[in-house]
Amino acid sequence: MFTVRLGDDRSLSLRGPPINDSAWHHVAAQRFARTGLALFVDGQLADAIWQPLDRTSVDGTLLLWLGSEGTLDAPSAELDELRISSTARYVRSFSPPRVLGTDEATEGYYP
């Protein structure tokens, strides 16, 4: 699940397919500042919401939770790489890279 809080007790959430096979998967969640959200699983668009997103919180910050937001239903998973980018990397189906790495659009990278 990928959720963006809009700051006024509203949020938008995307859901992908269940992942419970113990295999490696590439998951990419994207927030397009003015047009919506997209969730890709293994390079395929799993869910999307296309509507304006002018704010993400009252003070303008983007809140990011990995797993869950204070609930007991956190997924049982291991992250082997996390990259946060300043630009949308995927807009249609793609072949997921096995290693992410960094480039000029990388804001945070956690190998």
Side-chain angles (χ1 to χ4, degrees):
M1 178 185 287
F2 175 52
T3 300
V4 171
R5 292 202 174 262
L6 301 175
D8 51 4
D9 295 326
R10 294 181 308 130
S11 62
L12 297 173
S13 295
L14 301 176
R15 292 189 178 273
I19 299 176
N20 55 9
D21 59 5
S22 299
W24 180 91
H25 293 278
H26 182 275
V27 178
Q30 295 193 154
R31 174 188 174 268
F32 301 93
R34 300 279 184 244
T35 57
L37 307 172
L39 180 66
F40 294 87
V41 177
D42 294 331
Q44 301 300 308
L45 182 63
D47 197 5
I49 296 173
W50 303 112
Q51 71 179 53
L53 300 173
D54 293 330
R55 313 184 328 214
T56 54
S57 69
V58 174
D59 64 2
T61 60
L62 176 64
L63 305 174
L64 173 67
W65 282 271
L66 298 175
S68 69
E69 179 191 347
T71 65
L72 298 177
D73 62 350
S76 175
E78 294 179 21
L79 294 176
D80 93 347
E81 217 174 354
L82 172 67
R83 178 174 60 193
I84 300 172
S85 304
S86 60
T87 186
R89 293 191 176 268
Y90 313 111
V91 294
R92 63 184 60 85
S93 296
F94 61 95
S95 295
R98 286 295 291 181
V99 177
L100 298 176
T102 63
D103 59 22
E104 65 281 348
T106 302
E107 297 291 327
Y109 179 64
Y110 309 92

